[in-house]
Amino acid sequence: MDLEQFVRALPKAELHLHLAGAVKAQTFRRLARKNNVQLPPFRDIEDLYRYDNLVDFLQIYDLVARSVVDADDFHLIAYEALEHVANAGGRYAEFFFSPQVHQDAGISYETMFSGILKAMDDAEKDFGLVSRLIPAINRELSLDRSFEFLDLVLPFRSEKVIGIGLDYDEEPFPPAPFKPVYDKARKAGMRLTAHAGEGGPAANVRDALDLLHVERIDHGYRVMEDAELVARCIADDIAFTVCPSSTVILTHWRDLTDADHPIRTMLDAGLKLVVDTDDPPMLQTDLAKEYRLLAETMSLDRGTLARLALNSLDAAWLDDSTRRDWRADWSKQIDRLLAEPEEVRAGH
Ligand code: ADE
Ligand code: ZN
């Protein structure tokens, strides 16, 4: 079995994927046309999925989001996003979506949630992919807006709408001010995560843990600037959802083969990492490709890839008995995969 076959067959969970970032270029073009959304000039629609930094990326991300209008549109993009996860061998997904950008376009929360929740049911029926939704706060908007977000999201809280996240550009918008919003969400029974240490300093990772009380950290690369915090995250078994292609395209850590790349140093330090995609079609990737990229650029053996896949199950917001059952099942499948002779195929 070659590496490509191995990473696709590996049972794994996707825990860091943004719905608007998971819209295929062709679907974006179709929805923009249908809903009369003006796009910048392009030759191939794929040209719009090229950017050099997070700020440029977020402009296109918002444009994609604004192309999604009715419940059928939300169903379509969520269904295709989950199909993409399943096709990469994902067995479970927790995914973010950014309701505020749609709200600003005049779309009701009922419209967004009805389309997305139906797609989650359909994906479970059609691909056996169980999924959970994490509405995420746009940290660039005001604190008032994030309280309003909570008032609109909490009525939809359910087994499927499982927690909240904090995304968009972290560097100018640190996590600390969102403490009261996170307190309220926690009291309402929401699970908690936040983007921290992607562009902002290690102190943001500490604040996300100490003030927001998040259970895991999205990205978190700059935790490596604080050795004491690293030691604490290891002791507390904090999971970091890291996204290799996203670092190459959206951060200044462009070279995964670099000995100083934070994913390399986080792994070597012994932090608990979960490999994820962030925005798969917008970053020209899928979950299997992210595992393969890490294996190829960081010379990870298959045992290490299997350990990373099991981390994704440990860090997932599943109930303990489901996790135990799935762990037994995944471990059996992984043992079988690891027992297969390794083949190297030209070009892979
Ligand atoms: N989508 C929304 N915010 C994002 C971020 N900070 N990084 C990648 N994709 C995002
Ligand atoms: Zn992200």
Side-chain angles (χ1 to χ4, degrees), residues 71-318:
D72 286 345
D73 298 345
F74 282 95
H75 180 273
L76 173 69
I77 65 164
Y79 188 81
E80 287 189 352
L82 294 170
E83 185 176 34
H84 198 70
V85 176
N87 286 343
R91 309 294 176 87
Y92 172 78
E94 288 170 9
F95 64 106
F96 297 115
F97 101 108
S98 309
Q100 290 163 308
V101 61
H102 306 293
Q103 186 195 24
D104 287 347
I107 295 156
S108 75
Y109 274 48
E110 284 74 16
T111 298
M112 307 174 206
F113 278 105
S114 66
I116 295 170
L117 292 174
K118 177 160 190 317
M120 291 164 73
D121 285 340
D122 290 346
E124 195 164 331
K125 266 186 250 130
D126 296 350
F127 327 119
L129 181 75
V130 175
S131 63
R132 301 285 181 255
L133 186 63
I134 309 174
I137 296 167
N138 178 345
R139 66 199 318 149
E140 299 180 25
L141 304 178
S142 68
L143 200 59
D144 281 353
R145 286 291 305 271
S146 60
F147 276 113
E148 186 194 2
F149 157 99
L150 218 50
D151 289 341
L152 290 163
V153 162
L154 288 181
F156 292 92
R157 197 178 85 76
S158 67
E159 189 195 21
K160 281 205 151 57
V161 182
I162 197 167
I164 63 161
L166 182 66
D167 60 9
Y168 282 77
D169 193 1
E170 173 204 358
E171 219 174 326
F173 298 97
F178 296 92
K179 176 179 171 47
V181 184
Y182 268 67
D183 282 345
K184 189 171 175 187
R186 190 174 68 254
K187 284 180 192 138
M190 287 296 219
R191 310 298 295 261
L192 307 173
T193 186
H195 285 51
E198 180 188 22
N204 284 2
V205 174
R206 191 182 316 109
D207 286 350
L209 293 168
D210 290 344
L211 303 178
L212 307 193
H213 302 291
V214 299
E215 300 164 73
R216 53 184 198 228
I217 296 284
D218 297 311
H219 299 296
Y221 312 120
R222 290 185 63 185
V223 72
M224 295 312 295
E225 294 167 9
D226 184 336
E228 210 174 291
L229 185 59
V230 170
R232 171 193 159 182
C233 289
I234 294 168
D236 291 348
D237 203 27
I238 301 295
F240 291 75
T241 63
V242 300
C243 307
S245 290
S246 173
T247 67
V248 171
I249 299 171
L250 303 180
T251 75
H252 64 269
W253 298 290
R254 305 248 144 170
D255 184 0
L256 288 163
T257 67
D258 188 338
D260 290 331
H261 190 287
I263 298 180
R264 166 92 263 171
T265 56
M266 289 165 91
L267 197 60
D268 291 347
L271 286 165
K272 180 175 219 157
L273 303 192
V274 177
V275 180
D276 292 298
T277 59
D278 221 2
D279 304 279
M282 283 190 79
L283 302 173
Q284 293 84 42
T285 194
D286 72 19
L287 191 55
K289 188 173 161 193
E290 294 301 289
Y291 276 76
R292 196 176 116 200
L293 248 185
L294 275 196
E296 288 175 341
T297 56
M298 300 189 181
S299 306
L300 305 187
D301 62 22
R302 295 187 186 188
T304 304
L305 298 178
R307 185 167 55 78
L308 289 166
L310 288 172
N311 283 351
S312 71
L313 185 55
D314 283 351
W317 290 335
L318 291 163

